[in-house]
Amino acid sequence: MRRFIAVAAAAAAMMVASPAFAQVKPVDALKKQFVAGQGVRIKETSRTWVDKQDYIGAVREGVAAFGPKGVVAAEGERTPVLGPALKKQFEAEVKRDPKAADLVALLTERTYMVSSGKHYYIHGGLFSRALPDDKFWLRGDGDPTFAIMGDQLVNVLEPATLKHLLATGKHTGPRYRGSLTFAELHKLSPSFRAQMITKPSGKIGKSRISWRLTLDARQLPQRLAIDWTMPLTKKATIKGTTETRYSDWGAEISVTTPAAESVISIDDLVDHILKPPTPIDEDYVAVPPSDDGTVQ
C-alpha cells in the first residue's frame, strides 16, 4: 500500500510539473510579453455597412512595440477598400466627370501611421494633399496604440480590457465570446477613449459590440473578431465588423518616429490652410522682363 501511495504521489507531482497540465492565466501571459524591444504583429480586415449596403472596408497590417506596462509605440498601414455600393456610386460619378477619378484614387490611397507616447503621425491619403511641400507627416495628439487601432475597437493588448472580456464572456476551450456596450468599453479602455471624439451616450452608448476571442497555446490572443451596430440617423443604421489576428509574440520590434523637420502639427497645418493670401499692393506696377529675363 505504501508503495502504491508513493507511486501515485510521484505521478501527481509529474502532472503538476508537466507543461501540458500547467494552467497559465491569459492576463499573466500577456503581461509577460511586456518587454522593451519586443512586441507583436497584427493583420486585420474590416467592413462597414450603411443600412444593408456594403459600403467601405479596410485592410491593415502593423506592429505594436511593448514596454514594461504595455504598448509604448506602434506603426502600420491601412488601405481602404470600397464596398459594392460605394464603388457603384463612384463609377457613376466618374462617368459624369472624369476628374472625379482623382478623388476616388485619393480616398482609396494607402495611409501610413506611426504612434509613440502621446503623439501619432500620418502619411498619405487625404492628409497628404494638404501638407506643405516640405512636410510629409501630419502629427496629432493621441495614444501609443493609434497606428493599429480605429477599425478594431476592442484592445486586447490592455490587461484590464482582456481581463474584463474573459470574466464576462463564455468560453469553450480557448474560444471566448461575449458583448459589451460602447459606454462600457469607453469606461474600461484608455485606447478606446482616445479614439472617440466624445463620450458615447444615449442610443450610441447603449449600442452593443459583440466579440469573439481565440487564445493560442500560450494563452495569448490569436484572433479577435467584433461586430457592432449603431444608429446613424433616425432611419439609418451603420454596422461594422473587424477581424484582427495576432502573431509572432515576442518578436523584436522597433518603432521610429519621423524626423522633426518632415513633420507638421495639426494646429500648424490648419494655420497654413487658413493663412490669408498676401495683401495686394495697390501701388504695384507690373514691369515686363528685359531681354535676358530679369525684372527691373
Side-chain angles (χ1 to χ4, degrees):
M1 178 64 69
R2 291 179 180 177
R3 183 177 180 182
F4 173 79
I5 293 175
V7 171
M14 289 178 64
M15 290 174 66
V16 172
S18 172
F21 292 90
Q23 296 297 315
V24 181
K25 294 183 179 179
V27 175
D28 292 336
L30 175 63
K31 289 181 178 179
K32 288 181 180 179
Q33 297 295 314
F34 294 165
V35 178
Q38 295 184 8
V40 63
R41 302 187 189 282
I42 296 168
K43 289 186 177 182
E44 184 176 283
T45 58
S46 63
R47 296 171 67 186
T48 304
W49 290 260
V50 176
D51 283 340
K52 295 183 179 181
Q53 292 187 322
D54 190 350
Y55 213 64
I56 193 168
V59 176
R60 281 181 181 258
E61 187 168 350
V63 297
F66 294 135
K69 295 184 179 180
V71 177
V72 295
E75 68 176 305
E77 56 183 52
R78 181 182 187 275
T79 305
V81 179
L82 301 181
L86 189 57
K87 188 176 181 180
K88 185 177 181 179
Q89 291 180 23
F90 279 144
E91 288 176 345
E93 185 62 32
V94 171
K95 285 184 179 180
R96 288 192 295 268
D97 181 6
K99 293 182 179 179
D102 293 336
L103 176 60
V104 176
L106 185 61
L107 291 174
T108 56
E109 183 176 292
R110 181 175 300 170
T111 302
Y112 298 89
M113 293 164 285
V114 175
S115 51
S116 179
K118 296 181 179 181
H119 293 107
Y120 65 80
Y121 306 83
I122 298 178
H123 169 75
L126 289 169
F127 304 100
S128 62
R129 301 302 188 272
L131 299 181
D133 292 340
D134 61 338
K135 304 298 181 182
F136 301 96
W137 293 87
L138 176 66
R139 186 189 73 229
D141 297 331
D143 181 272
T145 64
F146 179 92
I148 54 170
M149 300 297 293
D151 297 298
Q152 178 56 266
L153 305 179
V154 181
N155 185 3
V156 292
L157 303 182
E158 294 172 337
T161 299
L162 177 60
K163 182 179 180 179
H164 179 84
L165 298 185
L166 299 177
T168 59
K170 298 180 180 180
H171 77 98
T172 301
R175 296 178 177 83
Y176 291 74
R177 64 171 55 240
S179 69
L180 73 170
T181 65
F182 275 76
E184 289 171 338
L185 185 59
H186 188 272
K187 182 178 180 179
L188 174 69
S189 171
S191 61
F192 184 67
R193 289 195 294 272
Q195 294 179 56
M196 301 296 289
I197 299 176
T198 59
K199 181 179 179 180
S201 60
K203 292 183 179 180
I204 293 178
K206 294 178 181 178
S207 298
R208 302 198 72 83
I209 304 168
S210 297
W211 57 268
R212 297 168 301 284
L213 174 65
T214 301
L215 304 177
D216 65 14
R218 294 186 294 169
Q219 298 293 293
L220 292 168
Q222 183 180 61
R223 174 184 178 271
L224 173 65
I226 67 169
D227 60 78
W228 51 268
T229 303
M230 71 164 59
L232 186 62
T233 64
K234 290 184 178 181
K235 296 183 178 181
T237 59
I238 182 171
K239 174 184 176 182
T241 65
T242 303
E243 180 189 54
T244 308
R245 293 185 178 271
Y246 307 86
S247 63
D248 293 341
W249 287 94
E252 293 185 10
I253 302 294
S254 177
V255 175
T256 303
T257 56
E261 60 269 18
S262 67
V263 174
I264 184 171
S265 69
I266 291 179
D267 290 341
D268 288 343
L269 178 61
V270 172
D271 290 342
H272 171 75
I273 294 173
L274 298 180
K275 184 178 180 180
T278 303
I280 297 174
D281 183 356
E282 296 180 356
D283 296 326
Y284 175 77
V285 178
V287 178
S290 60
D291 293 338
D292 60 1
T294 61
V295 178
Q296 301 296 325

